[in-house]
Amino acid sequence: RYVGVSNETPYGVMRFLAESDSRGLPRIQSIQNCYNLVSRKFEDGLDEIAIRENVGLLAYSPLAQGYLTGKYRDGALPEGSRKALFNRLQRYEGPGAENAINSYLDLASKYQVDPAQLAIKFCDKRDFTTATIIGATTMEQLKTCIGAFSLEWSEELESDIEELHLRQPSPCP
């Protein structure tokens, strides 16, 4: 059997690992946490644990609940969207969120790539990511998501992403 945790902290993961080691129990294999361009809190300790302890990230919400697709840009509220249906996306509406999200949407435009594909491929390119969890409502969305894994990734693009991150790190924790 395999064991995984979700929404866990560095301390929690290390405690689980210590307990499993001391008791001869199966070790944690995965951490399912939110991770995306505007929510990089995983990099505050869990990234090192994931690599050193061989506990891979299952990155959920790589599209920041749709915000990184651009569909909510400039206050848009598409009919049938999660925000329209459930209005529970406040994590992506805090101080600095809109500016950060727009900067990544603009970056996708600069590189002439689909912003959803940029966001998904970003998660996929991290050394600590085992899997990027995607979700789609339509076949078109599914094709876009799957296509992200074929997106070419350059050092220049990586550098531009890091520059944006340094300007406004994780505004949507």
Side-chain angles (χ1 to χ4, degrees), residues 34-36 38-39 60-68 88-94 97-98 101 171-173:
C34 178
Y35 184 74
N36 57 55
V38 292
S39 184
Y60 76 76
S61 201
L63 300 178
Q65 295 186 327
Y67 277 87
L68 291 170
R88 59 177 190 202
L89 309 183
Q90 288 75 22
R91 168 187 239 163
Y92 301 103
E93 297 174 346
E98 184 175 12
I101 290 165
C172 308

Side-chain angles (χ1 to χ4, degrees), residues 14-161:
M14 290 307 294
R15 285 296 300 144
F16 274 105
L17 290 170
E19 286 296 318
S20 65
D21 288 347
S22 72
R23 296 171 188 251
L25 298 170
R27 289 174 52 89
I28 293 171
Q29 298 295 309
S30 63
I31 310 167
Q32 180 179 304
N33 279 28
C34 178
Y35 184 74
N36 57 55
L37 287 164
V38 292
S39 184
R40 292 173 64 172
K41 188 175 179 184
F42 191 85
E43 295 174 9
D44 294 340
L46 281 168
D47 57 341
E48 181 179 11
I49 292 168
I51 291 168
R52 292 180 185 270
E53 297 291 338
N54 198 28
V55 179
L57 170 65
L58 306 178
Y60 76 76
S61 201
L63 300 178
Q65 295 186 327
Y67 277 87
L68 291 170
T69 68
K71 70 181 177 183
Y72 299 122
R73 193 170 199 166
D74 299 325
L77 187 60
E79 187 176 326
S81 66
R82 287 184 187 201
K83 182 168 174 54
L85 293 172
F86 307 111
N87 192 28
R88 59 177 190 202
L89 309 183
Q90 288 75 22
R91 168 187 239 163
Y92 301 103
E93 297 174 346
E98 184 175 12
N99 287 338
I101 290 165
N102 284 340
S103 69
Y104 291 110
L105 296 175
D106 293 342
L107 184 66
S109 179
K110 172 186 170 183
Y111 282 90
Q112 299 178 340
V113 299
D114 183 284
Q117 291 184 335
L118 175 74
I120 291 169
K121 186 66 173 191
F122 164 78
C123 294
D124 183 57
K125 288 298 291 181
R126 307 303 99 186
D127 291 339
F128 47 78
T129 301
T130 299
T132 302
I133 300 171
I134 59 172
T137 305
T138 67
M139 184 57 72
E140 182 181 334
Q141 289 173 346
L142 182 60
K143 288 177 183 178
T144 297
C145 290
I146 291 172
F149 299 101
S150 303
L151 185 70
E152 292 212 20
W153 200 260
S154 68
E155 288 182 28
E156 181 184 8
L157 177 55
E158 181 72 30
S159 177
D160 285 351
I161 285 172

